[in-house]
Amino acid sequence: MSTVVAEQTASHGTSRALRERAFGNATELSCRECGHTIALGPHYACPECFGPLEITYDFPAVTAAEIAAGPRNIWRYKALLPVPDDIEQSPNMEPGFTRLLRAHNLGSTLGIDNLWVKDDSTNPTHSFKDRVVACALSAAREFGSTTFACPSTGNLANAVAAAGARAGIRTVVFIPSDLERPKQINSAVYTEHLVAVNGTYDDVNRLASEIAGEEDGWAFVNVNVRPYYAEGSKTLGYEIAEQLGWRLPDQIVIPVASGSQLTKVDKAFRELIALGLVEEKPYRVYGAQATGCSPVSTAFKAGVDAIRPVKPDTIAKSLAIGNPADGVYVLDICRRSGGVVEDVSDDEVRAGIVLLARTEGIFTETAGGTTVGVLKKLVEAGQLDPSLETVIINTGMGLKTIDAIADQVGPAATIDPSYAAFAATNL
Ligand SMILES: Cc1ncc(COP(=O)(O)O)c(C=O)c1O
Ligand SMILES: [Zn+2]
């Protein structure tokens, strides 16, 4: 196995050599557009064509038994991630290995024979973002970063703030100022440096890129260490396959904001096939958006490759990215696999939240309401085969977006403490 040693860029801080196997079995960064490769470092754009960079690996033989012997968190897959062999030794949130629940009630309500919910709301800060942040934190450590930061639609800020606190690294998290209050508090409780920006997520993202270019030593998890960060979402795909008994589902529905998660679940499935850990089979990938921010589903339905940015207007604020970095790759994966990208109205998002709660006892946030709403719409439109094994990902937790359904649910009756009063309710 070759040893990869790279230098940090001047923009990230002082130049210093990386330690051996700082990124495990990762070998280099390669451009998704032109294939140009460069040494591992805090880079995210191709120096030739500005395309996004992605991690490539030289995987050893990995067996299911080795993975099963690992910890009950994402580090059981560390051989497949850009992290060092001693990753478990450094303080981190130890996310992952969340429940894969058979959803009998939701399935029978929607007419789907074999439905599962991958419930990532049980992660340490209650969204799948703990996975990506754990990988970004490892990269930040290896690069010697002094500030751990992100632009965020909410959940990422929560995850960065908490992971940074646990790791003892300074955090600065940037969010749109109109974000849900619980999401703001869920960041501010972990960090003194929550910055609310008057603008959309896309404005916040632009600001973050500018700061990353100006300041030394800042690791913006989803900007300049994005290639490392994004790989964390692969663990959702690995877990689903492992929890199904090392096989792939036939269909999977995934919410789309930047599109990173969807592309990485697909990458995980392809890696597992290449490694011989699962049997090769076709699977369909479906993307879910809210109509008020649906640039990817709009392009999908129009049959075009280019994504036209939009100004978001939806209660699904965690998915409110108007200019999605990985949108074109989502289109490609969904089209290639025989899936669809669909969107639902805010009312359907609310109905999706309540439906999942009342059928499976899972309180999801607006992103999950979007996913359930899209699942329902796809079945009704005949675009998702109800006879095939289907997984949906619940990426976040309903207590963070409680206002979305505050008008929909509440007491069935308010009564005096007497039996007569109760009996009069006919409950
Ligand atoms: C709860 C939740 N689900 C899904 C997503 C979408 O993730 P991605 O940007 O990788 O598409 C986000 C992004 O912030 C999120 O917070
Ligand atoms: Zn390139």
Side-chain angles (χ1 to χ4, degrees):
M1 177 92 22
S2 63
T3 299
V4 179
V5 177
E7 297 284 310
Q8 289 184 257
T9 57
S11 72
H12 187 73
T14 52
S15 183
R16 68 165 209 177
L18 293 170
R19 68 179 173 133
E20 241 180 70
R21 290 187 57 79
F23 298 101
N25 296 312
T27 52
E28 56 194 1
L29 293 165
S30 69
C31 174
R32 247 144 100 177
E33 289 300 320
C34 76
H36 180 74
T37 60
I38 61 169
L40 293 164
H43 317 293
Y44 60 107
C46 173
E48 297 290 320
C49 76
F50 301 109
L53 296 172
E54 187 169 53
I55 312 270
T56 55
Y57 300 86
D58 184 2
F59 288 136
V62 179
T63 67
E66 280 162 9
I67 291 170
R72 287 182 70 80
N73 58 51
I74 63 169
W75 305 134
R76 68 203 280 109
Y77 310 108
K78 69 181 175 187
L80 310 178
L81 297 170
V83 299
D85 303 324
D86 61 1
I87 183 68
E88 289 125 292
Q89 264 63 76
S90 43
N92 69 85
M93 302 297 281
E94 300 175 6
F97 223 70
T98 56
R99 312 177 297 177
L100 179 71
L101 296 168
R102 184 73 198 266
H104 291 285
N105 298 333
L106 180 60
S108 66
T109 303
L110 298 180
I112 303 171
D113 298 336
N114 195 351
L115 179 65
W116 301 84
V117 178
K118 177 63 173 166
D119 184 14
D120 242 30
S121 68
T122 61
N123 271 311
T125 70
H126 311 292
S127 84
F128 86 100
K129 295 289 186 182
D130 290 316
R131 298 173 183 274
V132 278
V133 167
C135 291
L137 176 63
S138 175
R141 271 203 185 96
E142 300 301 333
F143 293 133
S145 310
T146 48
T147 300
F148 197 48
C150 66
S152 170
T153 58
N155 285 306
L156 182 59
N158 298 173
V160 164
R166 183 155 166 70
I169 180 171
R170 187 177 105 99
T171 53
V172 185
V173 299
F174 299 85
I175 54 165
S177 57
D178 70 348
L179 214 56
E180 301 97 333
R181 208 125 157 86
K183 280 196 181 137
Q184 299 198 25
I185 293 165
N186 266 294
S187 288
V189 74
Y190 302 116
T191 182
E192 290 172 16
H193 310 122
L194 168 67
V195 182
V197 179
N198 293 323
T200 64
Y201 170 81
D202 300 285
D203 297 323
V204 181
N205 193 31
R206 261 191 306 276
L207 171 64
S209 299
E210 208 180 320
I211 297 170
E214 294 288 330
E215 300 284 331
D216 283 345
W218 283 52
F220 273 98
V221 301
N222 50 344
V223 182
N224 54 348
V225 292
R226 187 173 180 88
Y228 306 86
Y229 151 96
E231 291 289 291
S233 279
K234 292 193 308 183
T235 60
L236 268 162
Y238 300 150
E239 282 176 25
I240 289 166
E242 184 178 359
Q243 290 169 319
L244 286 174
W246 290 112
R247 54 187 183 76
L248 302 181
D250 300 315
Q251 304 176 126
I252 184 160
V253 188
I254 306 172
V256 171
S258 75
S260 173
Q261 177 185 210
L262 185 146
T263 63
K264 293 299 174 172
V265 169
D266 174 65
K267 189 181 185 206
F269 286 175
R270 286 186 286 112
E271 285 177 352
L272 293 180
I273 292 170
L275 286 161
L277 284 162
V278 298
E279 228 170 77
E280 178 156 21
K281 62 171 270 196
Y283 56 86
R284 294 181 193 146
V285 184
Y286 295 84
Q289 298 209 293
T291 307
C293 183
S294 51
V296 188
S297 82
T298 300
F300 184 92
K301 291 172 187 173
V304 298
D305 293 335
I307 290 181
R308 183 182 293 178
V310 299
K311 192 155 196 280
D313 180 14
T314 170
I315 59 164
K317 291 180 190 282
S318 55
L319 301 181
I321 297 183
N323 189 10
D326 293 305
V328 290
Y329 305 111
V330 169
L331 283 178
D332 180 50
I333 289 165
C334 293
R335 284 181 178 142
R336 188 165 36 76
S337 72
V340 170
V341 189
E342 184 53 278
D343 57 271
V344 285
S345 69
D346 284 0
D347 279 346
E348 290 170 299
V349 172
R350 293 186 188 96
I353 293 174
V354 176
L355 180 62
L356 184 64
R358 300 240 164 126
T359 52
E360 298 301 337
I362 299 171
F363 187 12
T364 186
E365 69 142 84
T366 45
T370 303
T371 306
V372 173
V374 163
L375 173 72
K376 181 168 184 283
K377 191 167 176 178
L378 290 170
V379 178
E380 287 168 358
Q383 290 181 298
L384 183 135
D385 187 337
S387 70
L388 296 179
E389 184 165 63
T390 304
V391 175
I392 63 171
I393 304 183
N394 172 31
T395 50
M397 142 68 79
L399 289 171
K400 293 192 195 180
T401 62
I402 202 138
D403 282 348
I405 49 122
D407 295 342
Q408 316 264 305
V409 296
T414 303
I415 59 171
D416 290 331
S418 74
Y419 181 73
F422 169 68
T425 65
N426 290 319
L427 288 174

